[in-house]
Amino acid sequence: DARVTQTPRHKVTEMGQEVTMRCQPILGHNTVFWYRQTMMQGLELLAYFRNRAPLDDSGMPKDRFSAEMPDATLATLKIQPSEPRDSAVYFCASGPGQADEKLFFGSGTQLSVL
Amino acid sequence: SQQGEEDPQALSIQEGENATMNCSYKTSINNLQWYRQNSGRGLVHLILIRSNEREKHSGRLRVTLDTSKKSSSLLITASRAADTASYFCATRGPPGYSTLTFGKGTMLLVSP
């Protein structure tokens, strides 16, 4: 079964540390999304890539967050420096790039910043 | 900000009963999708309905869309304990805007 793979599944870190989350989209998918899920805000879109090019990162705090796609098989989301308010579950999703595409989600990275 | 808002926030029913969840949204859409999320897992796509469709079925799922009221409903018939999960509606804007915006979800509990 093709699936989106995210690593790590869990991350506990101290405030001020750098956090890197990785995502392997489904082979052949050309859209990649990063979402953050919290109880208060629900699912928030952080970044969106199409054919590895960033198209929308308006939901991402620019001063500390960065998202990249070094190649078609890897997407990364970095937080530097991390803060306690960044504690959340971060999901990566990929899609085939059609107008009516459905998204395939990874299992998420649960981040706790102490 | 969320485009879709689900109602109710939580729903508790017995196995065999039907579950209905509603979603309202604010701006015009290209399509609307429903996803399920089991505890501690990622979201799983359930069904998609396009803006020119009014009703769609998939197994025990029935989705309706009323674009004049900017609302959708998801009906799960003959619910099972395994249907216990959170359900989210997600909207995709007009052509050219390709991101999915999610609501905060309805938490469904189906008791045996």
Side-chain angles (χ1 to χ4, degrees):
Chain A
D1 269 350
R3 62 179 68 184
V4 175
T5 304
Q6 285 187 251
T7 56
R9 283 297 313 274
H10 304 274
K11 176 73 176 178
V12 180
T13 190
E14 292 187 346
M15 183 173 62
Q17 297 297 304
E18 177 178 302
V19 175
T20 298
M21 290 168 270
R22 293 178 173 82
C23 169
Q24 181 176 358
I26 292 173
L27 188 66
H29 282 186
N30 64 2
T31 58
V32 173
F33 301 77
W34 284 102
Y35 287 91
R36 174 171 63 185
Q37 186 176 38
T38 61
M39 287 295 293
M40 291 298 295
Q41 299 298 326
L43 276 157
E44 301 173 280
L45 177 68
L46 297 177
Y48 160 51
F49 291 81
R50 177 180 286 272
N51 295 323
R52 295 177 54 204
L55 292 192
D56 186 350
D57 61 1
S58 58
M60 197 163 66
K62 301 292 191 304
D63 56 338
R64 298 183 300 108
F65 285 61
S66 62
E68 296 179 345
M69 279 202 74
D71 60 59
T73 65
L74 177 63
T76 63
L77 180 66
K78 289 186 182 180
I79 308 174
Q80 168 64 350
S82 58
E83 296 181 3
R85 59 180 167 150
D86 300 329
S87 297
V89 182
Y90 291 80
F91 287 104
C92 174
S94 70
Q98 300 145 356
D100 58 354
E101 67 177 355
K102 63 181 184 182
L103 296 189
F104 293 79
F105 280 76
S107 296
T109 293
Q110 181 152 9
L111 175 65
S112 296
V113 183
L114 307 176
Chain B
S1 62
Q2 259 67 31
Q3 160 76 309
E5 293 290 337
E6 290 90 343
D7 169 62
Q9 289 187 328
L11 181 60
S12 183
I13 59 174
Q14 300 289 121
E15 264 191 329
E17 294 180 340
N18 295 342
T20 299
M21 289 158 268
N22 302 297
C23 170
S24 59
Y25 57 92
K26 296 173 184 162
T27 61
S28 60
I29 60 171
N30 178 284
N31 64 66
L32 185 145
Q33 304 180 28
W34 286 90
Y35 287 76
R36 182 188 73 223
Q37 183 180 32
N38 290 92
S39 181
R41 308 297 295 271
L43 281 75
V44 175
H45 180 268
L46 293 176
I47 195 165
L48 178 151
I49 187 164
R50 297 183 178 84
S51 60
N52 61 353
E53 297 176 315
R54 291 297 166 258
E55 189 171 310
K56 210 160 182 182
H57 297 256
S58 177
R60 293 185 296 114
L61 304 180
R62 174 178 167 252
V63 169
T64 62
L65 178 64
D66 187 335
T67 53
S68 67
K69 295 181 179 177
K70 291 187 169 58
S71 67
S72 173
S73 67
L74 171 67
L75 169 68
I76 303 174
T77 60
S79 63
R80 306 166 181 166
D83 294 328
T84 294
S86 291
Y87 292 81
F88 296 85
C89 70
T91 53
R92 170 155 284 149
Y97 188 70
S98 301
T99 61
L100 269 183
T101 305
F102 286 84
K104 290 191 176 180
T106 292
M107 194 176 302
L108 174 66
L109 174 64
V110 182
S111 301

